[in-house]
């Protein structure tokens, strides 16, 4: 690993993004707009006193899910372009370490993911008055972590696609099952044992569980810490597996 | 002066530097021994052996599909090889330490379209610890000074190609491997580039340049003629002219091919252009 090459990669990816203001706007604004939709969706619900709004529950989970989805898509397509344009092959003839390239990518998109999470969380709190027990900082942290998770899985999945058309098809395969099983629609312990078992294997489930821990508790629970560690392990595993898919020699 | 005169076979070096082209193994930048590359079921390269001299321009010529790019990829070390060996600067091709010393220009320009010209060159330069001045020099070398801030994807095809070339030049490698670098360039720029390659070779850089345009062969010190995955001959442009009994290099190459195919005894791949 070489910090200078990693940083050069991060800078380069951000420079590429800078030349594309529309993508920046989409990355930063879309999750906030979707959050607004969720808010309006549950605007007219009538609740018995003392019961938290559905928005506080669903909107909170969305803060973890949106960054994951957006970053997964952005990363898998960008990395695929790198593979198909020949720049990857050229880069791999230079002294750059595969880790420098992947972590450089991960860092650049994580910066974007963090900004996106800040915007979405800010909108949820200040515009829609989201109220939860735990500290906002943990929500932002989990949100950033899921965006990094999206980056790691996106980098990995790009290896299994040969065209951009195939790359977007990975979204129904990789992303939607995680959204269905993460506890957003049905609590995980209320699922049948097969689905619950499956849900336990998917990283997004732990991120959403972490958000629920923050929502219910004013203090940091050990379950929250465990959730964060599990997601972080998925991130590292994703990046390591992705580095195995970068080959300096091809047939 | 810009035209490197084809030396007679007996006295190969026009300017007579210390090195002799095609000399002993010590002086060779690249040594290829019995290289075979199979892609799928196709044998793309078969039993290719050659020695590429250091500090010289070696032209890799042959029709499209003859295996030029595969040979180049084997030298750079990105090609999985089936048999034989390739040694570059005394080390096995693709060795990690070679990544500092070998510059590679791919046939399809591999630069970031959505990045500015100068950011492209600086990025590839950063991989070799090169800074802003090196990037500026590389852009100057390919005639793109003044285009720094333009987005690479907005340039014309030839300019885009030159951005890619600048990205290979910026590291100032010992061995520069260029796959068809002059495609799509106008004659003035082409002459300019060949002159620059000659200057680099004179300064000690070893260059391997592929082309399917035979007239470009006259700029090279040594030629590797490939056909159907076989090395037809390794000779100087002067030798090619005399063996083909014409000053037209294209015609000479054609006659060499015919001579190689005409004999009834198919003795082997390396007929070295023997004439009846």
């Amino acid at each position: 690993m070489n910090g200078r090459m990693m940083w050069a990669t991060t800078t380069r990816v951000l420079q590429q993004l800078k030349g594309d203001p529309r993508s920046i706007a989409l990355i930063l604004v879309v999750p906030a707009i979707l959050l607004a939709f969720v808010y309006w969706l549950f605007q007219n619900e009538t609740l018995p006193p003392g019961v938290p709004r559905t928005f506080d529950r669903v909107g909170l989970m969305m803060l973890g899910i949106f960054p994951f989805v957006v970053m997964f898509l952005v990363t898998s397509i960008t990395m695929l372009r790198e593979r198909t344009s020949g720049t990857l092959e050229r880069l791999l003839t230079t002294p750059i370490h595969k880790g420098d390239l992947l972590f450089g990518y991960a860092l650049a998109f994580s910066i974007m993911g963090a900004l996106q999470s800040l915007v979405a969380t800010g909108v949820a709190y200040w515009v829609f008055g989201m109220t939860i027990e735990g500290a906002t900082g943990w929500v932002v942290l989990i949100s950033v972590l899921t965006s990094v998770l999206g980056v790691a899985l996106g980098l990995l999945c790009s290896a299994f696609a040969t065209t951009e058309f195939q790359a977007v098809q990975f979204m129904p395969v990789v992303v939607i099952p995680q959204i269905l099983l993460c506890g957003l629609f049905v609590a995980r312990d209320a699922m049948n044992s097969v689905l619950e078992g499956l849900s336990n294997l998917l990283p997004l489930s732990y991120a959403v569980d972490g958000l629920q821990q923050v929502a219910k508790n004013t203090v940091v629970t050990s379950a929250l810490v465990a959730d964060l560690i599990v997601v972080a392990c998925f991130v590292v595993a994703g990046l390591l597996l992705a580095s195995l898919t970068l080959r300096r020699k091809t047939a | 002066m810009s035209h490197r005169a084809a030396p007679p076979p007996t006295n190969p070096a026009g300017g007579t530097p210390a090195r002799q082209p095609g000399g002993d193994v010590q002086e060779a930048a690249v040594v290829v021994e019995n290289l075979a590359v199979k892609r799928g079921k196709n044998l793309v390269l078969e039993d290719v052996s050659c020695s590429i001299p250091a500090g010289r321009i070696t032209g890799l010529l042959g029709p499209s599909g003859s295996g030029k790019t595969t040979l180049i990829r084997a030298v750079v070390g990105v090609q999985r090889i089936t048999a034989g060996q390739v040694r570059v600067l005394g080390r096995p091709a693709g060795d990690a330490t070679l990544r500092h010393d070998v510059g590679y220009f791919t046939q399809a320009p591999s630069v970031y379209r959505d990045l500015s010209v100068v950011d492209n060159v600086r990025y590839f330069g950063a991989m070799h610890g090169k800074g802003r001045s090196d990037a500026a020099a590389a852009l100057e070398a390919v005639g793109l000074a003044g285009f720094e801030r333009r987005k690479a994807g907005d340039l014309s095809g030839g300019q885009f190609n030159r951005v890619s070339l600048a990205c290979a030049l910026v590291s100032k490698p010992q061995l520069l491997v260029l796959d068809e670098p002059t495609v799509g360039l106008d004659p003035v720029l082409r002459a300019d580039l060949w002159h620059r390659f000659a200057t680099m070779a004179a300064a000690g850089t070893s260059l391997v340049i592929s082309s399917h345009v035979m007239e470009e062969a006259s700029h090279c010190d040594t030629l590797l003629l490939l056909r159907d995955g076989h090395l037809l001959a390794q000779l100087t442009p002067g030798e090619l002219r005399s063996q083909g009994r014409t000053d037209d290099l294209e015609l000479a190459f054609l006659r060499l091919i015919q001579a190689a195919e005409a004999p009834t005894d198919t003795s082997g791949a390396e007929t070295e252009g023997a004439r009846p």
Side-chain angles (χ1 to χ4, degrees):
Chain A
M1 288 288 287
N2 177 312
R4 190 170 41 79
M5 291 183 200
M6 187 184 104
W7 183 244
T9 304
T10 301
T11 320
R12 186 262 296 172
V13 174
L14 290 176
Q15 278 167 340
Q16 282 177 288
L17 262 179
K18 201 178 86 187
D20 186 3
R22 194 177 301 178
S23 286
I24 297 181
L26 286 171
I27 289 175
L28 294 185
V29 173
V30 166
I33 292 175
L34 291 176
L35 209 59
F37 268 79
V38 174
Y39 176 79
W40 289 318
L41 209 54
F42 296 105
Q43 200 177 17
N44 295 327
E45 66 180 348
T46 46
L47 291 163
V51 173
R53 295 181 303 170
T54 309
F55 175 75
D56 288 340
R57 188 176 65 86
V58 174
L60 181 69
M61 292 188 204
M62 288 297 178
L63 287 177
I65 296 172
F66 289 144
F68 171 69
V69 177
V70 175
M71 285 303 146
F72 175 82
L73 269 182
V74 169
T75 312
S76 53
I77 300 231
T78 314
M79 195 61 195
L80 184 76
R81 279 200 332 212
E82 180 106 60
R83 287 175 195 271
T84 52
S85 69
T87 46
L88 182 66
E89 179 173 293
R90 176 179 221 163
L91 263 181
L92 290 179
T93 65
T94 73
I96 195 171
H97 190 281
K98 292 171 188 176
D100 300 331
L101 182 64
L102 284 177
F103 283 95
Y105 256 103
L107 181 59
F109 282 130
S110 303
I111 290 171
M112 289 309 293
L115 291 176
Q116 181 190 56
S117 305
L118 282 174
V119 172
T121 313
V123 167
Y125 273 85
W126 290 315
V127 180
F128 302 120
M130 178 182 282
T131 44
I132 54 168
E133 298 289 331
T136 322
W138 287 102
V139 176
V140 175
L141 178 70
I142 294 172
S143 184
V144 171
L145 199 58
T146 60
S147 69
V148 183
L149 178 68
V151 170
L153 294 186
L155 287 171
L156 179 58
C157 286
S158 76
F160 302 100
T162 48
T163 63
E164 293 184 10
F165 188 62
Q166 288 175 5
V168 276
Q169 304 305 325
F170 273 105
M171 192 169 124
V173 177
V174 176
V175 174
I176 294 186
Q178 299 206 52
I179 296 178
L180 288 176
L181 296 177
C182 72
L184 175 68
F185 296 103
V186 176
R188 282 162 66 208
D189 49 15
M191 292 174 186
N192 74 39
S193 56
V194 175
L195 291 184
E196 192 186 349
L198 206 54
S199 153
N200 288 337
L201 298 176
L202 301 173
L204 193 62
S205 309
Y206 294 91
V208 167
D209 188 69
L211 285 168
Q212 287 167 328
Q213 294 290 331
V214 179
K216 283 183 290 193
N217 303 292
T218 46
V219 292
V220 177
T221 60
S222 58
L224 170 61
V225 175
D227 285 331
L228 292 178
I229 290 173
V230 171
V231 178
C233 288
F234 270 101
V235 170
V236 173
L239 289 176
L240 287 179
L241 284 175
S243 79
L244 294 179
T245 69
L246 299 178
R247 303 214 173 273
R248 289 190 194 264
K249 263 190 186 156
T250 52
Chain B
M1 283 302 282
S2 70
H3 177 80
R4 287 170 76 85
T10 42
N11 179 23
T16 334
R19 272 185 287 262
Q20 295 285 312
D24 58 308
V25 181
Q26 231 76 42
E27 289 295 342
V30 179
V31 178
V32 179
E33 278 168 12
N34 309 106
L35 173 67
V37 174
K38 218 177 205 170
R39 199 179 282 142
K41 284 194 160 69
N42 299 333
L43 208 51
V44 189
L45 286 178
E46 196 178 351
D47 199 27
V48 171
S49 297
C50 60
S51 166
I52 294 172
R56 298 276 158 190
I57 301 179
T58 302
L60 185 54
L61 290 118
S64 78
S66 58
K68 298 190 295 290
T69 298
T70 307
L71 181 52
I72 274 184
R73 283 170 44 88
V75 169
V76 177
V78 296
Q79 175 69 52
R80 218 174 272 145
I81 64 177
T82 313
Q85 65 162 332
V86 183
R87 292 186 69 79
V88 177
L89 305 172
R91 286 158 275 174
D95 191 80
T97 58
L98 279 172
R99 290 178 202 136
H100 289 282
D101 305 323
V102 179
Y104 177 33
F105 171 87
T106 50
Q107 195 169 359
S110 44
V111 297
Y112 299 98
R113 296 187 156 269
D114 46 1
L115 211 57
S116 76
V117 170
V118 71
D119 286 339
N120 262 299
V121 183
R122 277 187 198 157
Y123 179 56
F124 284 103
M127 298 304 137
H128 299 275
K130 303 290 179 187
R132 285 158 183 267
S133 56
D134 300 287
L139 281 172
E140 180 79 45
V142 298
L144 279 180
F147 288 85
E148 285 87 354
R149 294 278 146 220
R150 295 272 290 275
K151 205 184 255 192
D154 293 343
L155 300 176
S156 77
Q159 290 167 331
F160 189 65
N161 218 13
R162 276 140 68 196
V163 180
S164 191
L165 187 56
C167 293
L169 295 180
V170 67
S171 65
K172 300 201 180 90
Q174 265 177 271
L175 172 68
L176 192 54
V177 184
L178 309 170
D179 199 356
E180 309 235 353
T182 55
V183 168
L185 299 186
D186 60 83
V188 177
L189 201 69
R190 209 153 50 201
D192 205 44
L193 273 181
W194 278 109
H195 180 59
R196 199 165 292 277
F197 295 152
T199 314
M200 291 174 71
T205 307
S206 313
L207 294 101
V208 178
I209 304 175
S210 81
S211 176
H212 62 266
V213 186
M214 277 308 293
E215 60 189 79
E216 301 206 304
S218 60
H219 299 286
C220 304
D221 300 303
T222 314
L223 302 176
L224 297 169
L225 303 184
L226 273 181
R227 182 170 156 79
D228 289 338
H230 293 277
L231 185 65
L232 206 60
Q234 175 167 10
L235 35 63
T236 66
E239 286 166 344
L240 178 58
R241 284 193 190 92
S242 64
Q243 286 191 20
R245 292 190 315 240
T246 171
D247 279 346
D248 183 343
L249 287 167
E250 178 131 19
L251 186 61
F253 186 28
L254 274 176
R255 285 184 179 163
L256 221 63
I257 291 172
Q258 283 161 359
E261 287 174 352
T264 42
D265 66 309
T266 46
S267 49
E270 280 166 286
T271 44
E272 287 292 337
R275 300 284 306 168

